[in-house]
């Protein structure tokens, strides 16, 4: 089975712009979660989608949003980019949204905001 | 919410030695504790996990122990090899809630 894929892998944007990142989960996985990884804050949970519905949400401002499509692929959007949004954005998928299931991570999208 | 503390932040060992990384968590409802290894330029990869009904789990050179009373769990790597060098993260979750990660341990195995 193919793993979690994320596109693009690298992105450079300027302050004030918006960006959309894409994640394709492992085939058969219906839950997709997004995390932000920075040297200072570590791995922080953004949100989780399951069956096209947001199930959980982390403590991030409304500039961060996401969605999930019927094929379980997910996108996250960050509007009005700030310098502090520079980070590695990781997507993770698992079979369903419940239980103690293994979550598999993609390679991430590295976003640099200038 | 859940809070996970991880120690040490860096760990240097000689090849062949053992390495131990410790984590504590705050939410007694947490029942799932995975460990991830992250190499440079890659996403975290699950190396082992443990559930609350188990006290210890082993997979070849890697083992994890869980003490629910004390709310701490540990990763043990024996016979370390240079390819074990990476950043290791512990995490905790109640299942339906998202994973809360520790701050990471950078393990360096000196040949």
């Amino acid at each position: 089975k193919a793993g979690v894929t994320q596109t693009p892998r690298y992105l450079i944007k300027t302050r004030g712009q918006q960006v959309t990142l894409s994640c394709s989960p492992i085939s058969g996985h219906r839950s997709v979660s997004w995390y932000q990884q920075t040297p200072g804050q570590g791995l922080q949970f953004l949100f989780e989608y399951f069956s096209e519905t947001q199930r959980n949400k982390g403590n991030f401002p409304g500039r961060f949003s996401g969605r999930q499509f019927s094929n379980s692929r997910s996108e996250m959007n960050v509007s009005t980019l700030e310098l502090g949004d520079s980070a590695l954005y990781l997507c993770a998928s698992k079979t369903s949204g419940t239980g103690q299931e293994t979550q598999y991570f993609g390679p991430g999208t590295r976003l640099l905001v200038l | 919410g859940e809070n996970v503390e991880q120690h040490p932040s860096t760990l240097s060992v000689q090849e062949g030695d053992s390495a131990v990384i410790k984590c504590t968590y705050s939410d007694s409802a947490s029942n799932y504790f995975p460990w991830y290894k992250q190499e440079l330029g890659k996403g975290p990869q699950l190396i082992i996990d443990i559930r609350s009904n188990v006290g210890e789990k082993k997979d070849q050179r890697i083992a994890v122990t869980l003490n629910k009373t004390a709310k701490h769990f540990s990763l043990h790597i024996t016979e370390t090899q240079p390819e074990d060098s990476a950043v290791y993260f512990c995490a905790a979750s109640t299942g339906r809630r998202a994973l809360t990660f520790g701050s990471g341990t950078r393990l360096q195995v000196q040949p």
Side-chain angles (χ1 to χ4, degrees):
Chain A
K1 260 187 189 178
V4 178
T5 58
Q6 292 188 244
T7 56
R9 291 293 311 278
Y10 304 93
L11 208 47
I12 300 175
K13 292 285 186 179
T14 55
R15 277 182 302 173
Q17 287 187 311
Q18 76 164 10
V19 67
T20 299
L21 311 182
S22 181
C23 170
S24 292
I26 292 171
S27 177
H29 286 195
R30 294 165 62 196
S31 167
V32 173
S33 296
W34 289 90
Y35 293 83
Q36 181 196 64
Q37 186 175 28
T38 60
Q41 300 298 317
L43 275 153
Q44 292 188 292
F45 171 71
L46 282 155
F47 29 67
E48 179 195 4
Y49 284 87
F50 176 71
S51 291
E52 303 177 64
T53 301
Q54 188 179 87
R55 286 172 50 92
N56 288 306
K57 189 178 188 304
N59 190 26
F60 278 80
R63 300 185 297 107
F64 292 82
S65 63
R67 59 177 176 168
Q68 186 180 34
F69 302 94
S70 58
N71 62 358
S72 294
R73 190 177 69 86
S74 177
E75 289 182 346
M76 69 162 280
N77 183 275
V78 188
S79 62
T80 320
L81 284 166
E82 300 177 0
L83 296 179
D85 296 333
S86 294
L88 181 67
Y89 290 89
L90 292 160
C91 165
S93 75
K94 59 183 179 179
T95 308
S96 71
T98 63
Q100 307 150 343
E101 300 168 41
T102 299
Q103 201 166 73
Y104 297 89
F105 282 83
T109 293
R110 185 163 296 281
L111 171 65
L112 178 62
V113 181
L114 301 175
Chain B
E2 175 68 277
N3 181 50
V4 178
E5 294 193 358
Q6 183 172 346
H7 300 279
S9 57
T10 60
L11 180 58
S12 182
V13 299
Q14 291 295 124
E15 183 177 357
D17 286 350
S18 295
V20 180
I21 303 170
K22 299 181 179 182
C23 289
T24 59
Y25 61 99
S26 61
D27 189 349
S28 56
S30 288
N31 53 16
Y32 177 60
F33 308 92
W35 286 87
Y36 285 86
K37 174 184 180 182
Q38 187 174 27
E39 297 173 317
L40 202 61
K42 297 183 179 180
Q45 284 191 299
L46 180 80
I47 54 171
I48 196 168
D49 57 11
I50 192 167
R51 291 161 175 81
S52 60
N53 58 345
V54 176
E56 183 173 358
K57 184 177 178 180
K58 192 173 180 181
D59 182 5
Q60 298 183 350
R61 297 185 297 110
I62 294 173
V64 57
T65 58
L66 171 64
N67 183 328
K68 286 223 75 179
T69 303
K71 288 191 278 188
H72 67 71
F73 56 114
S74 301
L75 177 71
H76 304 253
I77 305 174
T78 59
E79 301 172 19
T80 53
Q81 300 166 4
E83 52 265 38
D84 294 329
S85 296
V87 179
Y88 291 81
F89 292 94
C90 63
S93 140
T94 61
R96 284 190 75 97
R97 248 195 346 236
L99 290 172
T100 298
F101 284 86
S103 52
T105 296
R106 183 172 299 278
L107 173 65
Q108 181 69 43
V109 180
Q110 307 287 349

